[in-house]
Amino acid sequence: MKTGMRVLLLAAAVVLTGCVNKAPKPDNPHYAPIQPVQMQQPQPVTGSIYQAATSMDLYSDGRAHRVGDIITVVLTERTQSSKSASTTVDKTNDMSIGAPNVLGHEVKVFGNPLSASMNSNTAFDGEGSSDMSNSLSGNITVTVHQVLPNGNLLVRGEKWLTLNQGDEYIRISGLVRKQDVGPDNRVPSTRLADARITYSGTGATHDSNVMGWLARFFISPLWPF
């Protein structure tokens, strides 16, 4: 029995350890800014007034609209959910069989009437509730990685903060409409479509809030009791 329990614990440790994600690291190529193409040498002056190397769009409002442009995402995320459930089941059965009569005489066995009775009672009462709220505020500046055919911008980026006990990071990606970008190149995070926002950290402070593999095993479906 002890050997079987040891094998079960070892197997659970291997499974749960494999489920733990590796600590993220900065400079992830997926969130890296777009590197601008190396500028070509300007064409020699031919006497023309217009020069492509120094041209400016006089009608542009300065909003980000090209690959490599910078947009500041204002994090204004707030979620709240509440759920409750209650179930009550009660069932009672009673059944009795009287002693039979034969020719007007009660049938007895060893002097006792031949009768029987049975009753059962089943009850279940369950109740559960869950409340959750989250909020995230701040700013993160990202770059435009792609301009889609319909004009929407695919933005992506990350911010890392190195502290004395570890690192904290924010990663974000999503789609932004050009119309939602303000004159100062800022856009609220609630305007991002297909948004992926990650806020977490690494180091001693983060590790102290992570449950150990043995404790996770005892509250996982793998624990048979």
Side-chain angles (χ1 to χ4, degrees):
M1 183 64 180
K2 294 182 178 180
T3 303
M5 182 61 67
R6 292 176 181 176
V7 173
L8 183 60
L9 291 175
L10 181 60
V14 174
V15 173
L16 294 176
T17 304
C19 296
V20 177
N21 296 329
K22 295 182 179 180
K25 297 181 180 180
D27 302 327
N28 188 323
H30 182 72
Y31 295 94
I34 295 294
Q35 297 297 329
V37 180
Q38 186 176 3
M39 297 182 59
Q40 299 179 355
Q41 294 294 330
Q43 298 293 331
V45 178
T46 59
S48 175
I49 297 177
Y50 173 78
Q51 298 295 327
T54 58
S55 63
M56 297 180 60
D57 188 356
L58 300 179
Y59 300 99
S60 175
D61 57 2
R63 300 186 186 187
H65 64 282
R66 300 169 300 183
V67 174
D69 287 349
I70 294 177
I71 294 178
T72 298
V73 179
V74 182
L75 299 172
T76 56
E77 297 296 321
R78 184 179 298 273
T79 60
Q80 185 173 0
S81 63
S82 177
K83 181 180 180 180
S84 62
S86 178
T87 303
T88 301
V89 177
D90 190 1
K91 182 179 180 181
T92 302
N93 294 321
D94 292 319
M95 183 178 64
S96 61
I97 302 175
N101 292 327
V102 177
L103 299 177
H105 298 281
E106 189 178 56
V107 178
K108 296 182 179 181
V109 178
F110 300 109
N112 297 318
L114 187 61
S115 61
S117 64
M118 180 179 65
N119 58 69
S120 65
N121 187 11
T122 303
F124 171 78
D125 189 4
E127 183 177 355
S129 62
S130 175
D131 294 316
M132 183 178 66
S133 62
N134 298 283
S135 62
L136 180 63
S137 60
N139 298 324
I140 176 174
T141 302
V142 298
T143 55
V144 178
H145 279 238
Q146 185 179 358
V147 180
L148 302 183
N150 61 356
N152 292 340
L153 308 176
L154 173 61
V155 298
R156 190 183 298 139
E158 65 178 358
K159 176 192 289 188
W160 282 77
L161 302 175
T162 301
L163 306 175
N164 57 351
Q165 293 295 331
D167 298 330
E168 291 186 1
Y169 68 92
I170 301 176
R171 286 174 172 170
I172 187 170
S173 66
L175 296 174
V176 179
R177 296 192 312 164
K178 291 182 180 180
Q179 299 91 321
D180 294 332
V181 181
D184 55 353
N185 283 328
R186 296 167 68 91
V187 61
S189 61
T190 54
R191 293 289 186 175
L192 265 67
D194 195 23
R196 299 290 188 272
I197 303 175
T198 303
Y199 174 68
S200 187
T202 62
T205 304
H206 176 266
D207 295 340
S208 64
N209 291 322
V210 177
M211 186 181 298
W213 67 264
L214 186 58
R216 291 199 304 273
F217 167 71
F218 285 117
I219 64 174
S220 70
L222 297 175
W223 180 244
F225 306 104

